[in-house]
Amino acid sequence: LLVTTTLSEYDKGTRGTTRNYDRLQHVMLPPLVDAVSSMTSRGWEVDVYLVLGYDLRPERRKLIDDALQAAAAGDSKRGVGLEVWEDAIPFYYENTFNKRPREGQSLVNGDHALSRQHRFVLRDKLSFYDFFVCFVSGDVFFLASIVLRRNVAMCVFFA
């Protein structure tokens, strides 16, 4: 199971990025497609689980699914499974410093905690897969040869 987490679909223009640059299509998807292609070419069955900090429109989901199926074309008997957890940013009480929230204090999005959400995916899917590869950033390059050089425990350790 390949799990990848990404906060935004488009760049915000901060930290040296270009505002509205398509992160999904140009940053997240290419390494994901390469990873799927390298694994299915070895005969492995691969599923992808995306943990997103935004809602994925149907046409964008189709873009991802089409790219993944094309990457596995001819190499996979069943294709590549795709699951998406949209709007996965957890809530928290701001400035509570591990104390009870003040009366009237409301929950806010905890963008900083999105990278932890893959742990829930691992817990739910642990009995269904032989190994897990988790990216807590949408732009990590990963190939089957890396899995072969590491043992399965190391792959889970990186999760």
Side-chain angles (χ1 to χ4, degrees):
L1 180 67
L2 293 173
V3 182
T4 190
T5 303
T6 185
L7 179 62
S8 57
E9 186 174 6
Y10 298 95
D11 278 335
K12 298 175 184 173
T14 58
R15 297 187 300 173
T17 62
T18 303
R19 186 170 179 75
N20 294 324
Y21 183 74
D22 192 344
R23 277 188 62 75
L24 185 146
Q25 190 166 0
H26 300 295
V27 177
M28 185 194 80
L29 198 53
L32 190 60
V33 165
D34 290 343
V36 166
S37 178
S38 74
M39 292 178 186
T40 57
S41 69
R42 293 179 180 273
W44 300 355
E45 292 183 1
V46 178
D47 290 332
V48 173
Y49 200 112
L50 301 178
V51 181
L52 307 178
Y54 54 91
D55 291 325
L56 189 64
R57 295 185 317 270
E59 64 272 13
R60 300 291 275 177
R61 182 186 176 107
K62 184 174 179 350
L63 172 80
I64 296 166
D65 196 38
D66 289 349
L68 294 176
Q69 300 314 320
D75 294 324
S76 178
K77 294 175 185 161
R78 66 169 183 84
V80 177
L82 175 63
E83 285 190 63
V84 180
W85 179 4
E86 298 177 10
D87 198 23
I89 299 172
F91 296 114
Y92 81 113
Y93 290 104
E94 195 171 33
N95 299 325
T96 55
F97 306 106
N98 295 326
K99 297 178 185 160
R100 291 196 178 275
R102 295 179 297 280
E103 189 172 327
Q105 188 174 11
S106 61
L107 291 167
V108 295
N109 279 340
D111 295 355
H112 63 282
L114 179 66
S115 62
R116 297 185 207 147
Q117 298 297 72
H118 72 281
R119 296 172 185 175
F120 295 109
V121 175
L122 289 177
R123 183 195 65 205
D124 292 345
K125 303 292 185 180
L126 195 58
S127 62
F128 300 105
Y129 294 93
D130 295 327
F131 68 90
F132 296 84
V133 179
C134 297
F135 311 129
V136 293
S137 175
D139 58 355
V140 176
F141 188 73
F142 199 89
L143 297 174
S145 58
I146 296 169
V147 174
L148 292 172
R149 282 190 230 135
R150 305 270 183 204
N151 61 30
V152 174
M154 193 59 122
C155 290
V156 172
F157 174 77
F158 283 127

